[in-house]
Amino acid sequence: QAVTDSGCEFNRNGSLHSAEAAAEHLELKYSRGKRYANSAEAFIERLASKSSWSGKPYQMICDGEVHPAGNWLTSTLARIRSS
């Protein structure tokens, strides 16, 4: 839900996608690769931070600021866990 509700854009391989499309893409990556991700941290590190096709890092663009997706997801996870 955090990605979907973020209002951010998602840069994947040079193409911008909505937050909803980003969440769908990450859900697909998880469904295909969950055997490689036995924790949220492992999912972020191994599957959700960069393209497995091109190797390019994903980016979250929020309010005009560009954040590496791995950093954004890690800080969002920490915020969710602490609430």
Side-chain angles (χ1 to χ4, degrees), residues 28-42:
L28 177 66
K29 286 193 83 165
Y30 180 73
S31 70
R32 290 184 176 169
K34 59 185 162 192
R35 67 185 171 275
Y36 303 111
N38 58 358
S39 68
E41 291 82 1

Side-chain angles (χ1 to χ4, degrees), residues 41-69:
E41 291 82 1
F43 172 69
I44 292 169
E45 180 185 331
R46 297 177 187 159
L47 301 171
S49 295
K50 66 180 179 181
S51 170
S52 55
W53 175 72
S54 71
K56 291 182 180 178
Y58 295 146
Q59 298 174 322
M60 297 294 291
I61 304 166
C62 309
D63 299 320
E65 292 187 24
V66 179
H67 309 274

